[in-house]
Amino acid sequence: MDGSFFRSYRRCDVRDSEVLVAVTVPFTAQNEYFQGFKQARRRDDDIAIANAGLRVSLEDDVVTSVTLAFGGVAATTTLAAETMERMKGRKWNEELLQIVTKSLVEELEVAPTAPGGMTAYRTTLLPSFFFKFYLHVRDELSRTLETVSALAGHERALLQPHVRPPHVATHLYEKVPSDQSPIDPIGRPLVHATAHQQATGEATYVDDMPCYCNELFGVLVISTQARAYIVSVDAAEALAIPGVHIFLSAKDIPEERNKCGEIVLDEEVFASTSVKYVGQPVGLVVADSEDVARRAARLVRVTYKVVDKPIITLQEAIEAKSWLPPFTAYCGDVSAAHAAAEHSLSGEVHVGGQEHFYLEPNAHLIVPGECNSTEVFCATQCPSTMQKAIARALGVPANLVVVRTKRMGGGFGGKDSRSAMAVVPAALAANVTGRPVRIVLERAEDMLITGTRHPFFARWRVSFNNEGVIRAMEMDLFSNAGYSVDFSRAVMERAIFSADNSYYCPNVRVTGHVCITNLPSNTAYRGFGGPQAMLVREDIMARVAAFLGLDATRVREVNLYKDGDKTHFRQQLEACSVRRCWADVKEQAHFKRRQELVQEFNRTHVYQKKGLAIVPTKFGAAFTIKFLNQAGALVMVYRDGSVLLTHGGTEMGQGLHTKMIQVASKALEIPYNKIHISETATNKVPNASPTAASMSSDLNGEAVLRACQVLRDRLAPYRKQHPDAGWDSWVAAAYLDRVQLSATGFYSLPNVSPFNFETQEGTPFNYFCFGVAVSEVQVDCLTGDHTVLRTDIVMDVGKSLNPAVDIGQIEGAFLQGQGLFTLEELRYSPEGELLTKGPGTYKLPGVQDIPCELNVTLLREAGNPKAVYSSKAIGEPPLFLAASVFFAIREAIAAARSDERFRGHGISDSVPRNTTASTKTVQSGTSCNLGAATSTDFFRLDSPATAERIRMACCDRITDIVRMPTPGTYKPWDVTV
């Protein structure tokens, strides 16, 4: 096997008649050294961004033969033949290292148009790999040759293999009072109600349901263009396949019924005259089986006419002013405060989107019934929304459509409005054929069709004094909404309300621009715009600290909210616990001592750096759309004393049903195991709001409580008459007396009002959740790899209904946030096609990404009178705490950039040095500062902080010689949307 073995991508020099029978890997000879290297998007990923196999034979310290093989830089494994030739006969010293570094970059530079993108990073990795190999060989030579100097301690540290410490975790929460009734489950860490069924695979999801004998399967035909007119749709070849029943498209539905959309009817069930994004449904093939339907769908021919260039990126949308009318929240006099301030700073930052990647893709089963009725088994967060969408498309009243949701395999916001993209076409097919129709999206389909978390771009300006106290802030937020409105206006509202994070500022102006592009409609996602805006605010705090030369922790701390402060949207903070969380987590994390240890590590290590960061979060609890703040419940008591509970919320693994059973158990004063929840259905609780906004426990819990209180009142005479008889006897007696043993409960959230952006008035939130996290990371500055060594979290959850569920939500949200801010990256072609359509190219956090030590503490003595049993919302608030990892990475990068030993290694005198800025207003930059560290050595780090971004921000002699292509001079493989 040599350099000619690999002939092209996935093709090698093996004849069809040849069979591989053995692979021999020889031992190295004396004075021969070999090492392999791999860099992937995450450490435990098998698919490499770039890799290398490096071998050298030496006579004393002189190179006699060498092989440098690299993958990920071309269509096949490539030998650096020219570099290998230059190495022969040279001594293994610093001069050789400089020659190889320059030669590898020149010989194997990845073209900016190359498939896979990350071209400068891939080029940078090649000499970075070789540098590690160089040190390894030099270390071996120094043991036998006196002429070869031994490695320094920081060099030897780089050669140590990565060993992940054993995982450690602690969970701290308040125990229930000793006098609490043993059957009162509130505050107890009970196991999730269906945990055992889910862990063993016995839990039933939609696609697990047995098939009906006459069931059909539907597969969507989707657009391959992002912005084009439809010339024709030809399904003749597909319909000719045996087993194919129908092909539905826009021509089969009245125009008015083809319209859909969550807030605005600006979408179509099937594209009629034009398509607006790659993945837009054009039609539906319905066949006897999934295999036949998928084969037929590929045969439907759609002809397009492309007239206009699609708008894909936020930069393109901003240039075209393709946005909804902007809106602003403000307080104070921002202009006057800027003018009077001691310092001003401005900058930009981009926050990438995130795929929901629920384990269960969109799956729905539609069963037509008598009298034009329809029963729908639906994996959705909002059965009532699906009921409304289906009824509209079928042209029937909502009472003829029953939507049932037993559970989902994850949702995160992606199965709120966007489930309609799959379930409505299938409902139309069931209506036309009169037979049950199942539709289950494949992962790639789901990712193409349903949209993601909104990518954000922000421009900001901030003014502050010498102590880092923020006096004025203005921020322009731009979100990539995709092709339709959906929830994007509400997402931007939440982003504007979150732009303060946990910091007081008397003069603020935040303006939101919802940009319309030719991407799938981006939608709700855990946090709902809050994490993006809060990251922008934390970026401001980090850059202010860098500008002043202050510890970022100090700058954050002096600006934290206090109880009674007002936000920039003029809502007063009550029971603000952020300073308590801050103090507690600093103490529990031994912050000061570990900060000193990190500084000591960075003094003794050059190519590896550590970072430590503390970040708070504030999250407002309520739907910002007022009418959604309502919930209903139905509680039915049977003659044997068992209770069947139904409420408007859906279970997607988050433990909502478990908490609702606990609420009912306490309210009725009966054991937890006497209560069961079967499913959520529109024929049990009508007009339910989505299970979203972290409000499901608050709203549905109060509804359940009220229904149970009605039943308690009805049973009160029997309890009084026979106090020792027990629940079952009271129920039996009440039944014999013809007392109604079912009750409904309804709750509407008081004291909230929509925020009016014209008058700057309103109370959008019922209360606020707070939390603080400390994270420590270690970064490999030569590859961009990072390890989260430890995270400590203190979270205010009020009086926890279930500490086990709440801590699980905190840990899950944190890991999802970690994916958002450090790993998960959506890549689109310049034409708008999603290129990361599955786990092979889109990377979620893995086992090795979990913090090696993860400590979660629920804040003590933190009741909340504004929610059921003094609890607080939990689903979304903890997610942003993962930004502590992002900013710890930033601290590690800053340590590398300020270390002359790393930055200056091999730099020639011709490289310009950084100079101190002398102007009052400073625009933050993105370029590498290769000179001495100064107070203005701050830099832009966009999210996510991937290995690519980390490595390219750790500027050194290698990044200095890698050419960065000039935008606009080439067509890239992918673009940042």
Side-chain angles (χ1 to χ4, degrees), residues 556-573:
R556 290 184 170 105
E557 190 165 342
V558 298
N559 287 284
L560 283 175
Y561 274 126
K562 299 186 294 293
D563 198 32
D565 283 345
K566 285 190 175 182
T567 66
H568 61 292
F569 50 93
R570 312 180 193 207
Q571 182 166 346
Q572 188 169 6
L573 298 178

Side-chain angles (χ1 to χ4, degrees), residues 458-777:
R459 294 175 178 148
W460 52 262
R461 185 186 180 199
V462 65
S463 293
F464 48 96
N465 66 16
N466 288 325
E467 298 301 314
V469 177
I470 308 299
R471 300 300 191 192
M473 181 193 74
E474 55 186 323
M475 187 186 295
D476 281 295
L477 297 173
F478 302 86
S479 68
N480 194 327
Y483 85 106
S484 70
V485 174
D486 191 63
F487 291 128
S488 295
R489 162 93 188 193
V491 167
M492 181 57 77
E493 288 181 6
R494 169 74 72 166
I496 289 174
F497 296 146
S498 303
D500 55 345
N501 190 11
S502 301
Y503 306 111
Y504 174 73
C505 181
N507 305 285
V508 176
R509 183 189 303 119
V510 185
T511 301
H513 302 74
V514 177
C515 299
I516 303 301
T517 63
N518 294 110
L519 292 181
S521 191
N522 291 323
T523 188
Y525 201 125
R526 196 177 199 169
F528 210 71
Q532 296 95 310
M534 289 190 280
L535 190 91
V536 176
R537 184 56 186 268
E538 290 297 337
D539 181 63
I540 290 172
M541 307 309 283
R543 295 207 220 178
V544 166
F547 177 85
L548 294 173
L550 298 175
D551 181 359
T553 303
R554 176 181 169 185
V555 172
R556 290 184 170 105
E557 190 165 342
V558 298
N559 287 284
L560 283 175
Y561 274 126
K562 299 186 294 293
D563 198 32
D565 283 345
K566 285 190 175 182
T567 66
H568 61 292
F569 50 93
R570 312 180 193 207
Q571 182 166 346
Q572 188 169 6
L573 298 178
E574 301 173 5
C576 176
S577 60
V578 67
R579 287 180 177 263
R580 280 189 61 201
C581 294
W582 184 276
D584 282 8
V585 80
K586 283 184 73 176
E587 180 181 354
Q588 293 175 29
H590 309 290
F591 186 82
K592 186 64 178 176
R593 180 175 64 83
R594 286 173 55 209
Q595 198 172 38
E596 293 170 354
L597 292 173
V598 166
Q599 292 168 354
E600 177 61 25
F601 180 93
N602 290 341
R603 280 193 293 271
T604 58
H605 291 72
V606 175
Y607 305 106
Q608 300 154 308
K609 297 294 182 182
K610 287 186 177 182
L612 183 71
I614 179 170
V615 170
T617 189
K618 172 180 67 66
F619 192 90
F623 284 100
T624 54
I625 301 172
K626 183 178 180 179
F627 69 79
L628 293 176
N629 292 294
Q630 59 175 298
L634 171 63
V635 181
M636 294 175 283
V637 181
Y638 293 94
R639 295 165 63 181
D640 63 355
S642 63
V643 177
L644 182 63
L645 169 62
T646 305
H647 60 91
T650 55
E651 176 63 44
M652 60 193 92
Q654 84 280 37
L656 176 61
H657 284 354
T658 305
K659 286 186 173 183
M660 294 304 95
I661 293 173
Q662 289 178 270
V663 169
S665 172
K666 179 178 177 64
L668 296 174
E669 297 184 42
I670 61 174
Y672 174 90
N673 58 15
K674 291 186 76 72
I675 305 170
H676 177 63
I677 295 178
S678 175
E679 64 180 0
T680 305
T682 56
N683 61 354
K684 300 294 190 302
V685 177
N687 310 317
S689 295
T691 304
S694 302
M695 287 300 293
S696 297
S697 290
D698 287 16
L699 296 174
N700 292 289
E702 286 287 354
V704 168
L705 184 59
R706 293 183 179 203
C708 291
Q709 286 169 342
V710 171
L711 290 168
R712 276 181 57 89
D713 291 342
R714 291 177 187 164
L715 293 174
Y718 304 94
R719 295 169 64 101
K720 184 177 181 181
Q721 186 176 1
H722 302 286
D724 299 325
W727 171 262
D728 292 354
S729 295
W730 301 329
V731 169
Y735 171 75
L736 294 175
D737 284 347
R738 297 177 296 174
V739 173
Q740 183 181 356
L741 292 176
S742 65
T744 60
F746 180 79
Y747 177 69
S748 62
L749 190 66
N751 306 319
V752 293
S753 58
F755 187 79
N756 187 317
F757 285 91
E758 297 296 325
T759 64
Q760 299 293 301
E761 295 176 341
T763 306
F765 301 115
N766 188 33
Y767 60 86
F768 294 90
C769 302
F770 299 94
V772 181
V774 172
S775 288
E776 181 181 350
V777 304

Side-chain angles (χ1 to χ4, degrees), residues 276-353:
K276 298 180 180 178
Y277 71 94
V278 175
Q280 184 172 359
V282 175
L284 182 79
V285 172
V286 182
D288 286 333
S289 69
E290 180 177 359
D291 289 344
V292 173
R294 294 200 179 282
R295 184 155 53 93
R298 290 191 290 269
L299 297 176
V300 177
R301 309 299 177 196
V302 184
T303 306
Y304 304 96
K305 180 181 180 182
V306 179
V307 176
D308 299 310
K309 183 179 181 294
I311 297 173
I312 304 302
T313 69
L314 276 169
Q315 285 67 30
E316 292 169 347
I318 292 168
E319 184 177 340
K321 295 185 177 180
S322 175
W323 54 54
L324 303 178
F327 47 102
T328 301
Y330 61 86
C331 67
D333 189 335
V334 177
S335 299
H338 279 317
E342 297 170 60
H343 306 285
S344 290
L345 193 63
S346 61
E348 298 177 347
V349 68
H350 182 272
V351 185

Side-chain angles (χ1 to χ4, degrees), residues 33 135-145 151:
Y33 305 95
L135 292 180
H136 166 70
V137 174
R138 208 186 95 193
D139 185 47
E140 294 293 328
L141 292 177
S142 69
R143 302 174 194 274
T144 56
L145 298 176
L151 297 184

